[in-house]
Amino acid sequence: MSDWPEGRNGGPGEQYGRGSAGSQPESARAMPHVRRRPAPPQSPPRIPPQQGQGPDGYGETPGYDSGYNTGQVYGGGQGGQRGGGRGGDSGYVQPRAAPDWGRRIKVGALTLVVVLLAVSIGTYFWADGKLKREVDLSKVIERPGEGDGTNYLIVGSDSREGMTAEDKKKLHTGSAEGKRTDSMMILHDGSNGPTLISLPRDSNVEIPSFVGSESGKKFAGTGRQVKLNAAYAEDGPELLVRTVEFNTGLHIDHYVEIGFGGFAGIVDAIGGVEMDIPKAFKDKKSGADFQAGKQTLNGEQSLAFVRTRYAFAGSDLDRTKNQQKFLAALASQTATPSTILNPFKLYPTMGAGLDTLIVDKDMSLWSLGNMFFAMKGVTGGEGTSMNIPLSGQSVNGNLVWDKDEVKKLVEQLKNDEKVTVKGS
């Protein structure tokens, strides 16, 4: 009886070959072959490998098919069926993980913040590069001490820089060379709310000693009495600041000037400014022609509105009141979400203003923004607007300031107190 497994030939005494008794080896020895048991027609339920080996002794789980017998590779089943297995056996499919919405929201929010930050930084440097920092307040001598809060000297000039002949005709600006001040205001921004004080251009003031902005030469004061706008015409913004500080005793922290073209451009960029005009008036020199009632003014109409003086009995005093009313309305209607959050409005508005805006060398965009929102607060019930107190007229027809009331007003501004002084 042979002890060799079934399917093997020869016996223990045989040294070479299958069934050969010869002493010579065959040319090649055949390796024994064990035939693999065929898989059953239907795959039984899958048993985890750790529960035991298959009966064939090779460690395979019953019902497991590697796919090599049928040419399948990782789920490429017969007939294009997914999941592996024979004859339509779907096998095991890994369930798809649910989306992590919390993580997606965090990533989306972070992306939005990064984009907004990049846009904000880009806008800041774009706007900062447009500012014309041309006024050097370090040239102003013998300055009064600083007080609480921030004081801006806001000047509207009749500069026609950048305007075409057609623009000048349309806006009724004329073609005079150089530039003069058309309006002057002090805006105080403090803890008791903003205060806007108009300085009539016909105010009678004394020109003090000063250093020429171009020559650097010092000019001694001679007690000359002139209209306030003559100081600007004589030596520009630096002498104007020096004259305002000398005649008021109030320290000016920043200087801001805008020309005709920039003013009209801002109004057109925001789609006009709504005004309530109590009484109809006309003025050929400024081009004003307004009916009474609420109406939306475009850039051309707005410029005519703030420049008109000959149509009013109070002349320059009435004009300054209209200027205050309009500028406050402009600031209020510009600082709205529909403008700030709309790039198609925001950038043209900023561009129109910054193109003709002249400021002092220490002015930052942050300070400019604070000035803008302080101006808005004047109409929001948070502040006060007034003309500087007057006591009458001089012999040459200029407007004379009430020195006692002006001194009281300045002290309240310096100490950042609530303003109780009444303007003219």
Side-chain angles (χ1 to χ4, degrees):
M1 183 175 181
S2 173
D3 291 332
W4 290 89
E6 184 180 355
R8 292 279 303 270
N9 293 327
E14 295 176 330
Q15 301 296 322
Y16 304 103
R18 289 181 297 179
S20 172
S23 60
Q24 299 297 324
E26 295 178 354
S27 59
R29 183 175 178 178
M31 293 296 293
H33 174 70
V34 179
R35 289 180 294 176
R36 187 172 182 173
R37 179 178 298 172
Q42 296 293 331
S43 299
R46 186 179 180 187
I47 301 174
Q50 63 269 24
Q51 294 183 9
Q53 294 181 333
D56 54 4
Y58 282 85
E60 296 183 54
T61 302
Y64 174 82
D65 191 326
S66 66
Y68 287 112
N69 287 347
T70 60
Q72 300 176 27
V73 179
Y74 298 104
Q78 292 179 352
Q81 295 182 0
R82 182 182 175 184
R86 297 188 184 189
D89 182 15
S90 61
Y92 178 77
V93 178
Q94 180 71 24
R96 190 173 183 179
D100 187 348
W101 287 108
R103 183 175 180 275
R104 292 186 181 185
I105 291 173
K106 289 179 180 178
V107 172
L110 180 60
T111 302
L112 180 60
V113 169
V114 171
V115 170
L116 290 177
L117 184 61
V119 171
S120 300
I121 292 174
T123 300
Y124 178 89
F125 283 105
W126 168 78
D128 188 73
K130 278 183 168 288
L131 277 180
K132 298 178 180 179
R133 297 182 173 93
E134 299 177 359
V135 180
D136 189 356
L137 296 183
S138 67
K139 296 179 180 180
V140 180
I141 62 173
E142 302 173 18
R143 308 190 68 184
E146 296 183 15
D148 296 329
T150 304
N151 300 312
Y152 301 86
L153 180 60
I154 303 172
V155 175
S157 77
D158 63 0
S159 171
R160 297 153 179 85
E161 183 179 354
M163 297 175 63
T164 64
E166 183 179 351
D167 291 335
K168 295 174 184 177
K169 181 179 179 181
K170 178 182 177 182
L171 299 176
H172 301 273
T173 64
S175 299
E177 295 298 326
K179 58 182 181 179
R180 286 150 293 277
T181 53
D182 220 45
S183 60
M184 289 157 284
M185 302 178 187
I186 294 174
L187 174 65
H188 173 80
D189 184 21
S191 58
N192 278 291
T195 302
L196 184 62
I197 307 163
S198 286
L199 308 177
R201 58 180 287 177
D202 294 341
S203 296
N204 194 76
V205 295
E206 179 183 339
I207 298 292
S209 59
F210 68 97
V211 173
S213 59
E214 296 295 334
S215 66
K217 179 181 177 181
K218 185 172 181 177
F219 296 87
T222 60
R224 281 188 300 138
Q225 304 287 313
V226 298
K227 290 182 178 180
L228 180 58
N229 66 337
Y232 182 95
E234 186 173 331
D235 198 47
E238 288 84 1
L239 180 54
L240 178 61
V241 171
R242 167 71 174 132
T243 303
V244 169
E245 288 187 342
F246 177 82
N247 286 270
T248 63
L250 185 67
H251 181 90
I252 299 300
D253 297 293
H254 292 295
Y255 177 91
V256 181
E257 177 186 325
I258 189 168
F260 283 160
F263 182 84
I266 292 174
V267 175
D268 286 334
I270 66 170
V273 174
E274 185 179 16
M275 295 290 297
D276 188 0
I277 299 177
K279 185 179 179 180
F281 65 89
K282 288 185 178 182
D283 181 22
K284 290 183 178 180
K285 290 191 175 183
S286 68
D289 185 2
F290 298 105
Q291 300 298 316
K294 287 187 176 181
Q295 50 204 287
T296 299
L297 309 186
N298 61 24
E300 177 185 349
Q301 293 169 325
S302 298
L303 190 58
F305 181 81
V306 299
R307 293 182 62 217
T308 298
R309 59 184 300 196
Y310 297 106
F312 307 125
S315 186
D316 203 35
L317 287 178
D318 286 340
R319 177 171 72 166
T320 57
K321 293 176 182 178
N322 279 343
Q323 289 172 346
Q324 290 180 346
K325 183 178 179 180
F326 182 87
L327 289 177
L330 173 63
S332 178
Q333 294 174 40
T334 301
T336 60
S338 62
T339 298
I340 295 175
L341 300 179
N342 183 353
F344 297 102
K345 270 191 173 183
L346 177 63
Y347 287 101
T349 301
M350 292 179 65
L354 295 173
D355 280 343
T356 59
L357 201 66
I358 296 174
V359 299
D360 63 273
K361 292 183 180 296
D362 295 326
M363 175 70 83
S364 67
L365 283 178
W366 180 261
S367 296
L368 191 61
N370 286 338
M371 185 202 78
F372 183 78
F373 281 98
M375 183 75 76
K376 178 184 178 183
V378 172
T379 54
E382 303 170 4
T384 303
S385 62
M386 59 190 289
N387 278 319
I388 197 162
L390 301 173
S391 60
Q393 290 184 327
S394 65
V395 294
N396 56 8
N398 296 340
L399 299 172
V400 178
W401 295 355
D402 187 327
K403 292 184 178 180
D404 292 336
E405 288 298 294
V406 169
K407 182 178 180 180
K408 188 177 179 180
L409 171 63
V410 169
E411 286 300 314
Q412 291 177 343
L413 295 178
K414 278 186 173 182
N415 298 325
D416 206 12
E417 300 171 351
K418 185 174 179 60
V419 173
T420 59
V421 175
K422 302 298 180 182
S424 299

